[in-house]
Structures are given as structure tokens and as C-alpha cells.
């Protein structure tokens, strides 16, 4: 539901999934008295939202289709939720780090994504292809890769034992 209209998907094609455009976090119960009072000013309220929150001019707002407006409202909600979540995490991390014990590690605000484990079936298929090529053509392709990159192939140390 758009914040300035009481009707969900007003003027939108029927096949547009509501989940894509309706507010999940910032929506509230419609107030029938407000809706009745606001009805004559619906377009002005809608433009005011775009001007104040997104910096649109009257001409830019006028060029938007109802579908584009609905997606912009949803993107605005997602950004708003994302921004406040980042602020919450930053404040939580800072407060925790200031109040942590001497021997406790500090929390990090950002975490690098972990490396995904390889799909073993794909790895086995790739290894089978490599072994098949090596059986036919030998291991000269490895030397060729090192040579083309201007590198010297590392020598393996042989253990005596």
C-alpha cells in the first residue's frame, strides 16, 4: 500500500504482484477519517512525498507512471529499513566494544563473506576431464601456462625416507 493512498495498487495493472510494491514494515492500518479528508488532495500528497523524500521536481513527478511510483515507494521503504538497520548495527557494535571486558575481542561492524564450498560432483567431473586430457596429451599444458605467464614452475622437494 502506498503511504499517500489508502488503496493498494491504485491505477496499477492487475498482474503486478502486491508483494513487490506493498510496504512490509512501514505500513499501518488505514484510518477511514483520514482517507475521507485526504481524498481531494491525493495527488498533492503524493507529489509532496516525492518532492520532500526524493527531491523530485513537479515535471519529474509528472512523468512517472503509477507502476513506477509503486516501485519507487517500495524501494524507498527498503532503503529506509536498510539504513536504519546499518545504524542500529553500528551503534550496537560501538556500545558493545566500549563496554566489553579486557580479554574480550572487539566486534567487527563488517564481515567478509565466507568462501562457498565447492560442489564435489562438479569437482569430480572436472578432475575426470583433466585426467583424461593428461592421459592423451601429457602434462605439458602445465608448463605452457607457467611459460606464457613468465613464471618458473616450482620444483617439488622429494623426501627421502
Amino acid at each position: 500500500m502506498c503511504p499517500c493512498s489508502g488503496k493498494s495498487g491504485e491505477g496499477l495493472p492487475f498482474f503486478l504482484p502486491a508483494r513487490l510494491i506493498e510496504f512490509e514494515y512501514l505500513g499501518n492500518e488505514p484510518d477511514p477519517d483520514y482517507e475521507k479528508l485526504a481524498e481531494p488532495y491525493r495527488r498533492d500528497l503524493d507529489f509532496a512525498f516525492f518532492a520532500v523524500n526524493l527531491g523530485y521536481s513537479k515535471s519529474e513527478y509528472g512523468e512517472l507512471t503509477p507502476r513506477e511510483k509503486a516501485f519507487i515507494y517500495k524501494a524507498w521503504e527498503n532503503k529506509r529499513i536498510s539504513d536504519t538497520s546499518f545504524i542500529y548495527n553500528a551503534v550496537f557494535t560501538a556500545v558493545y566494544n566500549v563496554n566489553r571486558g579486557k580479554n574480550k575481542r572487539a566486534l567487527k561492524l563488517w564481515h567478509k563473506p565466507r568462501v562457498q564450498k565447492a560442489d564435489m560432483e562438479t569437482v569430480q567431473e572436472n578432475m575426470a576431464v583433466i585426467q583424461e586430457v593428461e592421459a592423451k596429451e601429457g602434462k605439458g599444458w602445465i608448463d605452457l601456462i607457467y611459460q606464457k605467464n613468465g613464471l618458473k614452475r616450482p620444483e617439488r622437494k622429494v623426501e627421502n625416507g
Side-chain angles (χ1 to χ4, degrees):
M1 181 173 305
C2 297
C4 294
S5 73
K7 297 174 187 150
S8 178
E10 186 176 306
L12 296 174
F14 71 93
F15 54 87
L16 191 61
R19 184 174 172 200
L20 294 178
I21 59 170
E22 288 184 351
F23 282 169
E24 294 175 56
Y25 301 98
L26 302 178
N28 53 8
E29 294 297 318
D31 179 3
D33 294 333
Y34 176 82
E35 295 302 323
K36 185 178 177 184
L37 180 66
E39 189 58 40
Y41 308 102
R42 181 71 49 218
R43 189 156 170 77
D44 295 325
L45 288 168
D46 200 37
F47 168 66
F49 174 86
F50 278 82
V52 171
N53 289 296
L54 306 171
Y56 276 52
S57 69
K58 188 97 172 170
S59 62
E60 290 172 328
Y61 170 77
E63 294 174 7
L64 294 174
T65 65
R67 182 183 197 146
E68 290 168 334
K69 289 178 192 176
F71 280 113
I72 290 171
Y73 277 124
K74 183 61 179 176
W76 175 81
E77 181 200 37
N78 288 341
K79 183 178 182 336
R80 185 81 171 222
I81 298 303
S82 176
D83 289 349
T84 54
S85 296
F86 286 141
I87 291 169
Y88 171 83
N89 289 337
V91 170
F92 177 86
T93 301
V95 170
Y96 175 85
N97 287 341
V98 165
N99 294 321
R100 68 186 163 91
K102 282 187 176 184
N103 296 329
K104 296 252 183 182
R105 284 189 176 188
L107 291 180
K108 292 183 180 183
L109 182 58
W110 300 102
H111 300 280
K112 291 182 180 178
R114 297 181 186 256
V115 177
Q116 274 188 323
K117 292 185 178 181
D119 178 20
M120 291 310 292
E121 186 175 313
T122 304
V123 170
Q124 289 172 349
E125 290 171 6
N126 291 344
M127 287 302 293
V129 170
I130 290 171
Q131 289 169 348
E132 185 180 315
V133 169
E134 285 180 352
K136 291 179 185 174
E137 301 173 16
K139 293 189 179 188
W141 64 274
I142 297 172
D143 295 324
L144 184 63
I145 290 173
Y146 278 104
Q147 179 185 358
K148 294 288 183 182
N149 288 299
L151 301 171
K152 182 181 174 189
R153 186 171 181 181
E155 297 178 17
R156 286 193 167 182
K157 294 180 181 177
V158 180
E159 293 184 25
N160 296 331

